[in-house]
Amino acid sequence: MKKGFASDNNSGVHPAIFKAMEAANKGHVVGYGDDPFTQKAINVFKEKFGTDTAVFFVFNGTGANVLSLSTVTQSFHSVICAETAHIQEDECGAPEKFTGCKLIPVEPIQGKLTPATIQPHLKGFEFEHHSQPHVISISQVSEMGTVYQVGEIRALAGLAHKNNMLLHMDGARIANAAISLDLDFKEFTVDCGVDILSFGGTKNGMMMGEAVLFFNPGLTLNTKYIRKQSMQLYSKMRFVGAQFLAYFENDLWKKTAIHANNMAKLLRAEVAKIPEIEITQPVDANGIFAIVPREIIEPLQNSFYFYIWDDTKPEVRWMTSFDTTEKEIFEFVAIIKELLTAGSRTFQVR
Amino acid sequence: MKKGFASDNNSGVHPAIFKAMEAANKGHVVGYGDDPFTQKAINVFKEKFGTDTAVFFVFNGTGANVLSLSTVTQSFHSVICAETAHIQEDECGAPEKFTGCKLIPVEPIQGKLTPATIQPHLKGFEFEHHSQPHVISISQVSEMGTVYQVGEIRALAGLAHKNNMLLHMDGARIANAAISLDLDFKEFTVDCGVDILSFGGTKNGMMMGEAVLFFNPGLTLNTKYIRKQSMQLYSKMRFVGAQFLAYFENDLWKKTAIHANNMAKLLRAEVAKIPEIEITQPVDANGIFAIVPREIIEPLQNSFYFYIWDDTKPEVRWMTSFDTTEKEIFEFVAIIKELLTAGSRTFQVR
Amino acid sequence: MKKGFASDNNSGVHPAIFKAMEAANKGHVVGYGDDPFTQKAINVFKEKFGTDTAVFFVFNGTGANVLSLSTVTQSFHSVICAETAHIQEDECGAPEKFTGCKLIPVEPIQGKLTPATIQPHLKGFEFEHHSQPHVISISQVSEMGTVYQVGEIRALAGLAHKNNMLLHMDGARIANAAISLDLDFKEFTVDCGVDILSFGGTKNGMMMGEAVLFFNPGLTLNTKYIRKQSMQLYSKMRFVGAQFLAYFENDLWKKTAIHANNMAKLLRAEVAKIPEIEITQPVDANGIFAIVPREIIEPLQNSFYFYIWDDTKPEVRWMTSFDTTEKEIFEFVAIIKELLTAGSRTFQVR
Amino acid sequence: MKKGFASDNNSGVHPAIFKAMEAANKGHVVGYGDDPFTQKAINVFKEKFGTDTAVFFVFNGTGANVLSLSTVTQSFHSVICAETAHIQEDECGAPEKFTGCKLIPVEPIQGKLTPATIQPHLKGFEFEHHSQPHVISISQVSEMGTVYQVGEIRALAGLAHKNNMLLHMDGARIANAAISLDLDFKEFTVDCGVDILSFGGTKNGMMMGEAVLFFNPGLTLNTKYIRKQSMQLYSKMRFVGAQFLAYFENDLWKKTAIHANNMAKLLRAEVAKIPEIEITQPVDANGIFAIVPREIIEPLQNSFYFYIWDDTKPEVRWMTSFDTTEKEIFEFVAIIKELLTAGSRTFQVR
């Protein structure tokens, strides 16, 4: 099928990952994670994040976020997040439904939270009428394509811990963030004070499967029950374990994420030359947000599909992927230019 | 790895299904089910169950059951099921957590519910103090390896509908039941009055993915939101669609289920010859329950892994799978006999 | 209005309690429990149950049970109770809805649980597929009018604690139980190992308001939030505090409960003389269960209202109250006799 | 006890209401609302709001709001409310816990929502990833002491209905609003398109008990079960019925609300003369918000207790009640003046 820029989850599975799944498809193994693939994959995570890390595999990103939050909250808690956060905007209320907690959306700055914007919501502690603030949740990469810098994460972790709260990171695109920051995963998560991490792979070449990492094993006494009760315990889990093993082998994840980010840089550079288009957010990773002339959107979508982010402006979102090619970028940009020219001709004719 | 009789989900993926997934791994498709594989797979289900069938794919069996129940209940309802039902015993309370409903466990007869055993629980209608009975849920194949006959299903559907209730079928092993009954899926589900069906594939050769089928499309106005909120909406859903297409192509599902059932028949026949072993349930499909001398259990598990079902008797469960071989059955039986002989020698020595 | 034997909550408020509420109706006090009436009442409970007791007032019995269970459970837990328990039969699923837990109903013997009937349900510990048994909940007086003896409670507490579980007592009619046992409250609750107690007053002369008592204060770190979130925090709480103060002053509760129990004894004694009526349960407190000829039920209800408990037998329930009079008992018995005589005449005429 | 301006629920019960409760305390009546007091009170509400009104009594305001929302939502819905709304700030997450819905807080203007501020949140309809906007909830009187005018309510109802949504009004202080608007209850609720109303009495002289009114009886098919499951079904409900009968008899509610509002006007007028104090919100009903010099707050609270609303400014809230006296107002103002003078002397001395 025709490729596009709709989402990095519209791409398929990286061939090396597929091959690893096939290799795992031999004989019987015990279900639900007590198999060698899963156990080895857990160990790889421990190598990367520290031996104290508790690792739980789930099916998808929403499941990862809900398991993260469920493990550390009670229903009278609140979770502070960006207004644009996936847990706020794109999970159909799964966090509220499953945790019972209140989500407190905060207007982000370039997709990101800051201590200053969070501070006014840190109130009502010990007051039984008020949902108790308990978690700050940030997305890395943010939903606006921006990346939290190390100092920013440290500051948020400090704020959280000072208030006896926890810092959760939704890392659906954490590989793209790592490349953007040029850091190991550990350096901008556990080392910065992140307490819980939803570690995503699906958007960077895996078929399905995410990992939830807890950096304080004292938190996870009950996580296995919560995972099962939240319908996220996979019977043939070896196929998630095998994927993660391939994902980390020879730094495959790095190659795919570098490529996706590079494609976004290229697209940004090309689009920046087009005066009719305004790039609205820093392009830190593999997403580009831009205001484009309304009349070209639909014809452009017919060539390369993508989503309108904010119809009022109109702002669109273009995501690049591990399998995006330079050729596609140039083809896409060429069509933009053509449509703009055609459009201006149309206007002249009028 | 060494194969065993622990569960039909300890097996891997049927090669034909794997191949279909690989074929689907080309280019981009829209996520979350709006892709040609998913759409075609939905149509296959409509062909098999009737065009009015509403089809929703989810990740796993617990997800399928919870989506089934969530769609048709409100939190003040109750769900009547067998004491041995997967939703009662093996989902860590996911149905209660997600629906808020009360589950009413009923002592089954050979794993099955009957109108007579359900009737005493059909009370308190319109009485606001009492959870309102709303769903009868049965498992086909039952958790005790038995299969509901057409007349039994009709009777339960009749009872449900007479009381303005619905009949749900947990079909985690529905293929094995179809073979056992020698009927098309439709003939013992929608044709018998089943309202909602969790249609499983994972235990019969798929990697993951189940379908929830609603035979009254009026029920499913909100199911898509409930699926997302219950964390069961898969982004790269083409890989479930592609599996189901392969599963139904050339009746692959039939071949795998026939084989698994035949292996169970063979094992039953062989074990029936061993006087120290008592088969406790009718072997209708691919599961055998048997009381075996306690002293052989552990050494036997070391050769072919399986689960103890009821330690007090002790009763064990042996599940056969699409990839079980005759050779394995005979090897297993031989080891049983050897252990029994060795055991009796040991006793003599004492 | 005409009095009857429907329920001890069909009676009004004891005059002394009403007077105390009136006395409390002066000036302003801080809301939500930070008032002198509430604080004094809490202290009275501490005197009666031990200074370590944590006391939380709520509106009603269902609220008390739900707060009890919510405080000590997580959603993957299960709660074992009698099939006849109020939490199972008469709260419209509030415990499941609010706690997310599974309730496991056990067939009671004369309304009561025993270690032997509970034991088969104490399974699946540490197994993530299975709701984790965490609470045993008993009703004192039981829903069948029987009273747990000290040894029975100790045995259940022992069983619970041996399995790292807790024992909850639904004491909606705890005053009637105390009279029946001729013990102080403490002697058959905290002294026997009860961990959490729903202490009811409404059925023994109060207007509304129940207390939830936790005998291990380590359990109640979050109870205040849970109470508020479960809609059970009363703004003008002084009116519950004032009631409990009056309830305990000069052992008012004892007088009302002794009277109710005595009226039940009288009714039992009188009814025992009627051969057409079979008393089905021990009359330990203020409830009588009896099988009566079907034809007299409706005309009898027209004189003194009461409920049919089990229409198949038919078994009825007669509850006496603090305001039941001897005259009413004798009048009721006379009408029974008259109806039976009239009935036998009718039969003869036929 | 010393009176203050902390909250209108710090006052007691109006004597006429108390007397009516006493009169209702005779004999037996059926529990849970099937008594003459409750039935008569329901009829009074039907007279005032229209015969199609469905009326459900509950214990308290949080219970009323939760029953309102639970009746009309499913868990994948969202509820739009002011950032200051009681359901958002002061119910410890009860709405999320019980409904599973997402609450979307909107920055209010003088405590009130407008179509323009709501509009940006009316998005994602039919998009399964997004919680579906289903209810707009407003507070009348608002939490900032302001009152929605008829045109404002109509506009919000229009916006809601245009989007197939419902308008809920939290009327904890609806009597004060009616007086402020000089309208019958019906004229600014059902006549303006309000669909569901939490009708409060506790803050205007009742002991406890609120009514939830649904103006479209088609909505309430299941409300009785939801009320029971939400622990809000009162056994001795006659005592709520009797209160509401007294509340409406001879327009008692009007006298108490007029008085409370008048006391607020008087306090505003007196305080307006004090240059050091800035009144921050229109005083439409019985609440006054003011920024006062920080140093007088604590000594002032020692004389007449009240709450700090926003410590950063610092802004305080003074609520008047049905039992506030002119004398108290003048005494309070005198103490303010005295403290300010003393304060300025202190500053001079420094």
Side-chain angles (χ1 to χ4, degrees), chain B residues 227-272:
Chain B
R227 175 172 60 177
K228 176 62 197 179
Q229 196 179 32
S230 56
M231 303 161 265
Q232 290 290 321
L233 181 63
Y234 179 23
S235 57
K236 297 187 175 178
M237 207 190 281
R238 61 166 128 172
F239 293 109
V240 169
Q243 285 182 79
F244 271 122
L245 288 173
Y247 188 71
F248 288 120
E249 194 169 316
N250 300 322
D251 283 346
L252 173 63
W253 68 271
K254 228 179 231 187
K255 293 164 200 160
T256 49
I258 286 173
H259 182 78
N261 285 15
N262 282 344
M263 290 302 100
K265 276 184 206 160
L266 178 61
L267 178 54
R268 181 192 50 186
E270 290 302 307
V271 160

Side-chain angles (χ1 to χ4, degrees), chain B residues 39-261:
Chain B
Q39 295 306 313
K40 271 183 211 163
I42 287 174
N43 286 334
V44 173
F45 275 104
K46 286 173 178 280
E47 280 164 28
K48 295 208 173 295
F49 287 92
T51 51
D52 269 358
T53 306
V55 183
F56 293 84
F57 296 140
V58 295
F59 282 115
N60 64 358
T62 299
N65 289 335
V66 168
L67 185 62
S68 295
L69 298 176
S70 300
T71 290
V72 302
T73 56
Q74 295 202 51
S75 61
F76 53 83
H77 285 142
S78 63
V79 176
I80 295 173
C81 63
E83 273 180 3
T84 48
H86 200 264
I87 58 172
Q88 172 69 6
E89 285 292 284
D90 296 306
E91 302 187 351
C92 203
E96 285 93 342
K97 169 78 178 180
F98 204 79
T99 68
C101 291
K102 179 181 287 298
L103 264 65
I104 298 183
V106 175
E107 192 182 354
I109 299 167
Q110 293 185 335
K112 297 190 272 185
L113 296 179
T114 69
T117 55
I118 290 171
Q119 188 63 56
H121 300 281
L122 301 183
K123 62 179 178 183
F125 290 105
E126 298 294 320
F127 183 57
E128 73 207 89
H129 300 260
H130 198 71
S131 292
Q132 298 293 297
H134 196 67
V135 177
I136 296 171
S137 178
I138 59 176
S139 301
Q140 178 77 314
V141 181
S142 86
E143 287 77 8
M144 302 311 294
T146 52
V147 170
Y148 284 91
Q149 303 302 303
V150 160
E152 294 174 321
I153 301 168
R154 270 191 211 284
L156 292 171
L159 181 68
H161 299 158
K162 199 180 71 182
N163 288 284
N164 292 314
M165 296 169 66
L166 297 167
L167 182 62
H168 168 250
M169 181 181 278
D170 175 354
R173 293 187 180 97
I174 192 167
N176 305 91
I179 298 309
S180 174
L181 293 169
D182 195 19
L183 291 173
D184 287 343
F185 292 126
K186 188 168 178 288
E187 294 175 287
F188 65 96
T189 57
V190 58
D191 289 355
C192 287
V194 170
D195 298 290
I196 316 128
L197 172 62
S198 299
F199 185 101
T202 311
K203 287 181 158 67
N204 192 32
M206 281 177 52
M207 182 186 280
M208 81 287 194
E210 316 268 314
V212 184
L213 310 183
F214 298 88
F215 302 122
N216 175 348
L219 296 172
T220 59
L221 200 62
N222 299 316
T223 308
K224 68 176 183 175
Y225 305 113
I226 300 171
R227 175 172 60 177
K228 176 62 197 179
Q229 196 179 32
S230 56
M231 303 161 265
Q232 290 290 321
L233 181 63
Y234 179 23
S235 57
K236 297 187 175 178
M237 207 190 281
R238 61 166 128 172
F239 293 109
V240 169
Q243 285 182 79
F244 271 122
L245 288 173
Y247 188 71
F248 288 120
E249 194 169 316
N250 300 322
D251 283 346
L252 173 63
W253 68 271
K254 228 179 231 187
K255 293 164 200 160
T256 49
I258 286 173
H259 182 78
N261 285 15

Side-chain angles (χ1 to χ4, degrees), chain D residues 4-7 292 296-298 300-302 304-308 316-319 332:
Chain D
F5 302 100
S7 174
V292 300
I296 73 161
I297 292 178
E298 209 183 308
L300 191 55
Q301 285 174 320
N302 291 337
F304 286 86
Y305 195 65
F306 57 87
Y307 290 106
I308 296 171
V316 302
R317 186 187 78 163
W318 297 320
M319 298 302 302
F332 184 62

Side-chain angles (χ1 to χ4, degrees), chain D residues 35-84:
Chain D
D35 67 85
F37 302 98
T38 303
Q39 295 306 313
K40 272 184 211 159
I42 287 174
N43 285 335
V44 173
F45 274 105
K46 286 175 179 279
E47 281 164 28
K48 295 209 173 293
F49 286 94
T51 51
D52 268 357
T53 306
V55 183
F56 293 85
F57 296 140
V58 295
F59 283 115
N60 64 356
T62 299
N65 288 335
V66 168
L67 185 63
S68 296
L69 298 177
S70 299
T71 290
V72 301
T73 55
Q74 295 200 51
S75 61
F76 54 81
H77 285 142
S78 64
V79 175
I80 295 173
C81 63
E83 273 181 2
T84 48

